[in-house]
Amino acid sequence: METVKKHFFSDMSVMLGRSLRHILRSMDTIITVTIMPIAFMLLFVYVFGGAIQTGTDNYVNYLLPGILLIAIASGISYTAYRLFIDVQRGIFERFHSMPISRSTLLWGHVLTSLVSNTISVVVIILVALVMGFRSPAGILSWLGVAGILALFTLALTWVAAIAGLSAKSVDGASAFSYPIIFLPFISSAFVPTQSMPTVVRVFAENQPVTSIVEAIRALLLDQPVGNEIWVALAWCVGVLLVAYILAMRVYNNKRV
């Protein structure tokens, strides 16, 4: 058992190093992913912010959690793209002919997604600080935010793995991310749900992004989180488990 674990982690480190090198050689992917959310943040804060009533004088504080989720949703589309390219080029078949733990091929892409999205999140938070974002949260609250964002990233990355492994074209591999990017706009990320029409409000209040946004916002503002954090964690863990099982099933079918 120890030998299997040792080989698994050593193989995974090799696959992770391979994927990270691809990212470092094409930093434009991280820049592209980061620029769009920053543009949204600038637009909403400096153009629409004065017309949006959120009950707070610092709109960037209210807005930031939703912007971070949009950045992650944008970033995971590149994971699907890279997986699709590996499948099309026969990279998986080459690695499968070697004595390595086969699931590490997927884990390399997944962990690379976690690293690249972490970079994007840090850059966006730094820009938000320049724009006036301030947080009274302590270290435990920030760790809670980091944990929720990491779970959200992992959950969506495994969804991206399904798309990347099963897509028939490059466009198909990344198209799945568009609805996910759109979800924060129908949530409490930009405006309170109370201002929405009834049908839209019911959807917004019961979709996963609202719970995740509310939990992160409460943690950053050092406010009581309530049940929102448990709902947010349940959504993230639930999607993660289902997506992981389906992704591994698709991956194993590719090997048959």
Side-chain angles (χ1 to χ4, degrees):
M1 178 65 73
E2 290 183 2
T3 302
V4 172
K5 289 182 178 179
K6 181 180 179 181
H7 283 301
F8 175 83
F9 287 110
S10 61
D11 293 344
M12 186 170 64
S13 66
V14 172
M15 294 298 107
L16 175 60
R18 169 184 175 266
S19 296
L20 285 176
R21 282 192 294 273
H22 289 172
I23 289 290
L24 294 174
R25 291 170 184 169
S26 57
M27 286 297 291
D28 57 306
T29 57
I30 295 180
I31 294 171
T32 302
V33 166
T34 307
I35 283 177
M36 185 185 73
I38 290 175
F40 277 135
M41 190 161 58
L42 291 170
L43 178 66
F44 276 87
V45 170
Y46 294 122
V47 178
F48 302 137
I52 298 176
Q53 301 300 319
T54 61
T56 177
D57 295 331
N58 192 344
Y59 184 50
V60 69
N61 278 14
Y62 185 91
L63 183 70
L64 182 61
I67 295 296
L68 296 179
L69 298 192
I70 288 175
I72 293 170
S74 301
I76 51 100
S77 64
Y78 284 97
T79 301
Y81 168 77
R82 288 190 293 270
L83 273 169
F84 175 79
I85 295 300
D86 276 359
V87 170
Q88 294 301 305
R89 292 177 177 174
I91 300 297
F92 281 7
E93 284 77 4
R94 297 179 192 176
F95 281 123
H96 289 167
S97 65
M98 303 177 185
I100 63 173
S101 300
R102 295 188 173 185
S103 62
T104 58
L105 295 172
L106 285 183
W107 276 107
H109 284 283
V110 170
L111 295 180
T112 297
S113 172
L114 189 60
V115 172
S116 60
N117 279 293
T118 298
I119 295 172
S120 297
V121 165
V122 170
V123 171
I124 291 169
I125 291 175
L126 292 175
V127 173
L129 286 170
V130 174
M131 295 173 62
F133 167 71
R134 297 295 181 268
S135 172
I139 183 64
L140 290 179
S141 294
W142 274 101
L143 288 175
V145 171
I148 293 173
L149 291 176
L151 276 176
F152 183 75
T153 302
L154 288 173
L156 291 193
T157 301
W158 281 108
V159 174
I162 299 171
L165 291 170
S166 57
K168 303 301 182 183
S169 66
V170 172
D171 292 336
S174 57
F176 81 98
S177 65
Y178 301 150
I180 300 174
I181 294 171
F182 187 67
L183 275 181
F185 292 96
I186 314 177
S187 72
S188 62
F190 295 92
V191 296
T193 56
Q194 291 83 354
S195 63
M196 301 176 182
T198 303
V199 175
V200 179
R201 184 177 71 250
V202 170
F203 174 79
E205 291 177 349
N206 293 280
Q207 59 120 324
V209 169
T210 293
S211 297
I212 297 170
V213 163
E214 293 292 342
I216 293 174
R217 184 180 291 137
L219 288 169
L220 289 178
L221 298 179
D222 200 24
Q223 297 175 349
V225 181
N227 292 327
E228 292 294 347
I229 190 167
W230 303 115
V231 177
L233 290 174
W235 273 112
C236 290
V237 173
V239 172
L240 172 59
L241 290 175
V242 172
Y244 171 77
I245 292 170
L246 293 177
M248 292 305 298
R249 182 173 298 177
V250 173
Y251 178 60
N252 289 328
N253 288 338
K254 286 280 184 183
R255 291 162 45 189
V256 175

